[in-house]
Amino acid sequence: MKDLLLLTPPFTQLNTPYPATAYLKGFLNTKGIAAFQMDLGIEVILQLFSKQGLTNIFQVADNNSQLTTHNLQRIYSLKQEYINTIDAVIEFLQGNSQTLARQICSGNFLPEGSRFEQLDDMDWAFGSMGMQDKAKHLATLYLEDLSDFIVACIDENFGFSRYAERLGRSANSFDELHDHLQKELTYIDGITLNILKERIQEVSPKLVLISVPFPGNLYSAFRCAQFIKKHFPDIKTAMGGGFPNTELRDLKDKRVFNYFDFITLDDGELPVELLHHNVCHSERTEESQFKRTFLLENNEVVYKNNTSKPDYKQSQVGTPDYSDLVLEKYISVIEIANPMHSLWSDGRWNKLTMAHGCYWGKCTFCDISLDYIKVYEPILASTLVDRMEEMIAQTGENGFHFVDEAAPPALMKELALEIIRRNLIVTWWTNIRFEKSFTRDLCLLLKASGCIAVSGGLEVASDRLLKLIQKGVTVEQVAQVTRNFTEADIMVHAYLMYGYPTQTIQETIDSLEMVRQLFEVGVLQSGFWHQFAMTAHSPVGMFPDEFGVIPEINEITFANNDIQFKDKTGINHDKFSFGLKKSLFNYMHGICFDYELQDWFDFKIPNATIPSDYIISCLEKEDKFTIKPSAKIIWLGNKPITEIYSKYKKGNSWEMMKLTFHDKKETFEISLEKDKANWLLRTLDDITIKNYYATPNKEMQVTFIQLKTDFETQFDDFELFWFSKPIAILKEFGLILI
């Protein structure tokens, strides 16, 4: 029996839990509050995609007589093949029965529907990805065929990562969602609520907290709350998460509270702690304290923020706790043959945050007026790595996705150093801004710590629009930074945007040309085009006149975030969507760079005005980076094997030392005069990460100016030494300045 049940409704991700409930449970542990958490989405998926689940689905489809297309008829005709193979496929995608990959790849195991028609280039696409990934991709297509069947014949609202998403998008009024909730349960509803009923009977909670991160979770959240109110009327219900944080800040409709007793905004730790006290321990005589909470009082919607307690600092919220979740049953899928895209759907990632909010906090399309962006609070690197070690011990997984809005470069540096110092073997990736702090040396350090990928917003590849967005970067800078990551073998994904206010057709085409060149020279490996959406809490939404847009004004009684608008340019940006996305799909696969941009569109477009070698010229510019005297110098490599020998010239001889270094991939040598070599050996030992951290006083850690001064107490001309060939070789293999 637990006081609280933390619940994520269907659907978010197949491969890993959405982290909100794990974050909350970790905090509640620090307060001694007992809670049970569940991801209803994965549990519904596992019931749906099972031998019994498919048997039921095909029976319902037969009764509905909805087999209206050739593909649906084909899948139905092959129903026994699907029923026979589904359990084995799910087990394979859960990381078991890996030998099944050979049978899946044989081409004679999985029944194939229309999703398999895209397989012409499978051998080429997966030549570098291996049999396991090819099998995952084929199994994913198999599941997508079944998903198409479910949507057409069973439940039109179904999707692997969302359910009835349309009802949650731009729902200024509660009417439509409320009307749907009065209808009969859908097929998916039935499965969802049966699982929920069993769990409530097991846990016997007093308060059910439903986390709603996205519009695609909203309908199911209300269905769950409706079910609880009907069948367990003594249990209180509350909603929190990303959706209410951004969409429900202007809530007025009383009917919402027929389903939920409380709706909380922003950071959930203190609001939930107070709700727990009010529901489970409050004396009737005391006034209830709330933090950023909507509730119904005297038949009116009220917003209460009457506690004097401040929010908890990030150092106080504890380590995310993934217990109770069925971690071993999540499903890894690969939707397209792109290694960066697979990070989102393949593998089980522990999710953490380096810093609350965004250290930049200026982008005009972003919700910078809300606390989740504007309240910036970084976490100490040592605390982060402590939490990583705790999570590895709990989950058995050493992969981490840092889900920051934009991870701060200085903290990424300290995190990497701490990971290396502890000899921790982890794999991690995060979201960044493409700013100049990401030097070649910093990227090498990040790679050494286990960073495998970064994603960041290039947005519109136009310097005028980047300035209007207040992104704080230029296209040239993005090209150079992505080159630094790529050369460090860190994959780079770019978020791309079109349709930003005042964006012209010419700028859209020029932006596509920039993207084409970035992929052609190999400094981008992945990307995705998003059409600009105006949100109520962004500078564009709050001050539309300044950006040349005319918002559509609606009465708000329920959700308020996405705002329909007209761009004063009058351009229909929708028509560019297909061409931009099709071209990008090909560029990601390393092909079609020689196509004319016109080939991607079925309407006339202007020629690009960007020189065809623009990105190359950006990369060829001399690095204006000057060495800061205070920059820390670090050696990431190993101790060398030394050999002394004599060198002769014109009757003179002197002793030399050969230093042979072995790294993970190769062996290299340098030779120096013996005295300089001995100085270098001592210096390399002093500047290893182990010794970097062995000095508690950071002033004693070796800086570039200290290195120069120390050298010049014994030798002449440090610059000549620093820019010599032997030191250049060391720089290639782990001598870095950060």
Side-chain angles (χ1 to χ4, degrees):
M1 180 175 175
K2 302 286 179 70
D3 283 348
L4 305 183
L5 174 61
L6 312 176
L7 166 65
T8 305
F11 294 104
T12 51
Q13 286 179 268
L14 293 175
N15 63 310
T16 199
Y18 192 78
T21 61
Y23 276 52
L24 264 182
K25 178 158 183 168
F27 165 74
L28 294 169
N29 290 342
T30 70
K31 298 296 176 181
I33 297 173
F36 188 93
Q37 65 179 324
M38 66 181 301
D39 178 356
L40 253 179
I42 192 62
E43 297 194 37
V44 171
I45 289 290
L46 292 174
Q47 279 207 15
L48 199 58
F49 293 92
S50 65
K51 184 171 288 189
Q52 187 59 55
L54 290 191
T55 300
N56 295 342
I57 283 171
F58 286 118
Q59 182 60 55
V60 172
D62 189 36
N63 295 339
N64 290 347
S65 301
Q66 295 290 324
L67 306 177
T68 56
T69 69
H70 170 75
N71 188 53
L72 297 176
Q73 293 165 4
R74 174 174 171 78
I75 292 172
Y76 182 79
S77 297
L78 292 169
K79 62 182 180 181
Q80 198 57 51
E81 296 292 336
Y82 284 104
I83 291 167
N84 291 345
T85 53
I86 187 64
D87 286 347
V89 170
I90 293 296
E91 188 175 5
F92 169 72
L93 292 175
Q94 289 171 334
N96 305 312
S97 302
Q98 294 301 287
T99 54
L100 189 67
R102 294 181 178 276
Q103 199 166 357
I104 291 173
C105 292
S106 71
N108 196 36
F109 179 71
L110 298 177
E112 298 181 5
S114 62
R115 293 282 184 157
F116 284 76
E117 293 170 4
Q118 59 188 271
L119 289 182
D120 293 343
D121 295 321
M122 277 291 289
D123 290 337
W124 168 79
F126 285 92
S128 61
M129 293 181 76
M131 182 177 291
Q132 292 293 324
D133 283 350
K134 180 178 178 181
K136 282 183 183 178
H137 181 55
L138 292 169
T140 302
L141 297 177
Y142 161 94
L143 291 182
E144 287 176 338
D145 274 333
L146 287 170
S147 173
D148 292 342
F149 186 86
I150 292 169
V151 170
C153 301
I154 309 295
D155 192 334
E156 64 180 1
N157 292 312
F158 177 74
F160 281 120
S161 61
R162 60 190 61 83
Y163 186 75
E165 182 179 46
R166 180 185 61 81
L167 296 175
R169 285 204 173 278
S170 303
N172 297 152
S173 166
F174 187 52
D175 289 348
E176 186 178 10
L177 179 55
H178 183 265
D179 290 345
H180 271 77
L181 290 166
Q182 310 318 308
K183 296 179 180 179
E184 288 186 14
L185 298 179
T186 67
Y187 186 83
I188 303 298
D189 287 340
I191 297 175
T192 301
L193 299 179
N194 281 335
I195 297 171
L196 178 61
K197 180 181 179 181
E198 290 179 10
R199 199 56 43 84
I200 288 176
Q201 290 171 338
E202 292 170 8
V203 177
S204 299
K206 297 175 182 176
L207 172 62
V208 176
L209 300 159
I210 302 180
S211 177
V212 184
F214 309 114
N217 303 99
L218 186 69
Y219 167 83
S220 289
F222 273 90
R223 267 298 190 206
C224 291
Q226 180 187 51
F227 177 83
I228 292 168
K229 288 298 175 192
K230 180 177 180 179
H231 297 281
F232 302 93
D234 293 335
I235 296 176
K236 299 295 184 183
T237 56
M239 181 202 299
F243 183 86
N245 292 351
T246 55
E247 306 261 1
L248 299 185
R249 306 187 81 87
D250 301 308
L251 181 62
K252 299 181 182 69
D253 197 313
K254 293 186 288 188
R255 294 174 296 175
V256 170
F257 295 92
N258 294 331
Y259 305 86
F260 289 96
D261 297 288
F262 312 102
I263 294 178
T264 69
L265 303 181
D266 302 327
D267 292 353
E269 289 84 7
L270 183 56
V272 165
E273 182 185 19
L274 294 174
L275 288 184
H276 171 261
H277 177 76
N278 295 336
V279 171
C280 301
H281 302 294
S282 180
E283 299 293 333
R284 292 184 181 274
T285 56
E286 66 178 281
E287 181 186 4
S288 296
Q289 300 287 304
F290 295 94
K291 188 76 170 181
R292 296 186 300 272
T293 302
F294 284 107
L295 62 149
L296 203 63
E297 197 171 77
N298 299 322
N299 203 35
E300 293 294 332
V301 178
V302 297
Y303 177 72
K304 288 212 166 183
N305 194 26
N306 61 342
T307 182
S308 59
K309 291 184 178 181
D311 280 304
Y312 288 94
K313 297 292 185 184
Q314 292 301 298
S315 59
Q316 301 172 306
V317 298
T319 301
D321 182 351
Y322 284 87
S323 61
D324 308 326
L325 298 172
V326 289
L327 298 181
E328 73 284 357
K329 294 185 178 180
Y330 282 84
I331 301 167
S332 289
V333 295
I334 296 180
E335 296 172 26
I336 67 170
N338 177 277
M340 185 74 199
H341 273 239
S342 71
L343 288 179
W344 277 276
S345 59
D346 183 21
R348 242 270 311 131
W349 298 97
N350 296 317
K351 301 205 175 188
L352 266 177
T353 310
M354 292 189 208
H356 182 287
C358 179
Y359 72 97
W360 179 248
K362 297 179 184 178
C363 298
T364 54
F365 61 82
C366 189
D367 293 338
I368 61 176
S369 66
L370 299 184
D371 282 358
Y372 84 95
I373 298 289
K374 75 177 181 181
V375 178
Y376 175 64
E377 184 191 346
I379 303 171
L380 286 173
S382 57
T383 301
L384 278 173
V385 182
D386 287 344
R387 291 175 180 177
M388 292 171 76
E389 290 184 320
E390 288 181 49
M391 293 171 74
I392 291 170
Q394 182 190 73
T395 68
E397 300 284 351
N398 66 352
F400 288 84
H401 178 196
F402 290 95
V403 293
D404 295 65
E405 299 299 322
L411 183 50
M412 290 174 69
K413 176 186 77 173
E414 293 302 323
L415 175 71
L417 289 168
E418 184 70 11
I419 288 171
I420 297 170
R421 182 186 73 84
R422 298 195 196 186
N423 294 319
L424 193 61
I425 304 300
V426 293
T427 302
W428 62 276
W429 58 293
T430 191
N431 193 48
I432 63 162
R433 286 178 63 247
F434 293 122
E435 64 164 77
K436 59 186 178 183
S437 300
F438 290 109
T439 62
R440 170 193 172 276
D441 283 6
L442 178 54
C443 292
L444 289 172
L445 174 68
L446 298 176
K447 178 64 176 180
S449 72
C451 179
I452 58 165
V454 293
S455 56
L458 170 56
E459 320 306 354
V460 284
S462 155
D463 286 340
R464 181 189 78 83
L465 291 170
L466 286 171
K467 188 175 181 180
L468 188 62
I469 288 173
Q470 295 188 36
K471 192 69 184 179
V473 300
T474 63
V475 175
E476 178 180 306
Q477 184 177 311
V478 170
Q480 293 165 351
V481 168
T482 55
R483 183 262 317 274
N484 292 341
F485 278 110
T486 299
E487 290 183 350
D489 292 326
I490 295 174
M491 289 190 294
V492 184
H493 173 88
Y495 298 109
L496 306 165
M497 184 188 295
Y498 64 102
Y500 190 81
T502 75
Q503 183 171 1
T504 65
I505 292 174
Q506 185 66 63
E507 285 173 323
T508 299
I509 299 307
D510 286 350
S511 185
L512 174 57
E513 172 59 15
M514 292 282 204
V515 170
R516 185 194 70 79
Q517 291 185 32
L518 287 164
F519 276 95
E520 186 174 30
V521 301
V523 297
L524 277 185
Q525 291 78 53
S526 179
F528 190 83
W529 285 104
H530 305 257
Q531 188 166 356
F532 169 77
M534 187 166 81
T535 62
H537 313 293
S538 68
V540 180
M542 293 187 294
F543 312 107
D545 288 346
E546 295 180 16
F547 296 89
V549 294
I550 304 169
E552 183 180 299
I553 306 299
N554 296 319
E555 182 185 2
I556 306 299
T557 57
F558 184 54
N560 180 31
N561 192 36
D562 287 0
I563 300 174
Q564 298 300 312
F565 68 95
K566 292 182 179 178
D567 189 330
K568 290 180 181 177
T569 63
I571 296 170
N572 175 17
H573 295 286
D574 294 351
K575 66 181 182 179
F576 292 94
S577 178
F578 181 79
L580 291 173
K581 292 176 180 179
K582 184 177 181 181
S583 60
L584 182 63
F585 181 84
N586 285 278
Y587 297 159
M588 283 195 298
H589 288 81
I591 57 175
C592 301
F593 296 120
D594 56 343
Y595 279 35
E596 296 292 333
L597 298 186
Q598 178 64 68
D599 294 342
W600 303 115
F601 302 94
D602 59 3
F603 55 91
K604 182 66 176 174
I605 62 168
N607 293 326
T609 62
I610 305 300
S612 59
D613 62 348
Y614 179 80
I615 296 297
I616 290 176
S617 68
C618 292
L619 298 176
E620 289 176 346
K621 287 186 179 179
E622 286 190 20
D623 190 352
K624 297 179 181 178
F625 173 70
T626 55
I627 299 174
K628 293 181 180 178
S630 60
K632 302 293 192 296
I633 185 163
I634 293 176
W635 171 239
L636 297 173
N638 299 313
K639 287 186 176 181
I641 298 170
T642 61
E643 178 184 343
I644 297 174
Y645 66 95
S646 295
K647 193 170 184 178
Y648 301 89
K649 188 174 183 181
K650 295 182 179 180
N652 296 317
S653 67
W654 62 95
E655 287 188 312
M656 298 283 292
M657 184 183 293
K658 182 171 72 173
L659 292 79
T660 303
F661 296 83
H662 298 275
D663 74 358
K664 293 176 182 177
K665 295 173 70 174
E666 55 187 297
T667 299
F668 62 95
E669 299 174 350
I670 63 171
S671 292
L672 291 168
E673 295 92 336
K674 181 183 175 183
D675 52 353
K676 288 183 180 176
N678 281 325
W679 176 89
L680 180 64
L681 285 170
R682 175 176 57 80
T683 299
L684 291 179
D685 188 57
D686 288 343
I687 62 176
T688 61
I689 287 182
K690 177 181 178 182
N691 287 331
Y692 177 88
Y693 273 94
T695 307
N697 181 0
K698 285 191 178 285
E699 297 301 317
M700 298 298 293
Q701 294 166 358
V702 179
T703 64
F704 182 76
I705 191 64
Q706 289 169 339
L707 185 77
K708 181 178 186 292
T709 302
D710 186 54
F711 181 89
E712 290 178 345
T713 61
Q714 304 174 52
F715 312 104
D716 296 326
D717 204 341
F718 176 76
E719 280 73 19
L720 185 63
F721 176 76
W722 182 252
F723 292 104
S724 66
K725 184 176 180 181
I727 301 304
I729 293 172
L730 289 182
K731 291 174 186 174
E732 289 182 27
F733 289 94
L735 183 64
I736 62 173
L737 283 167
I738 56 174

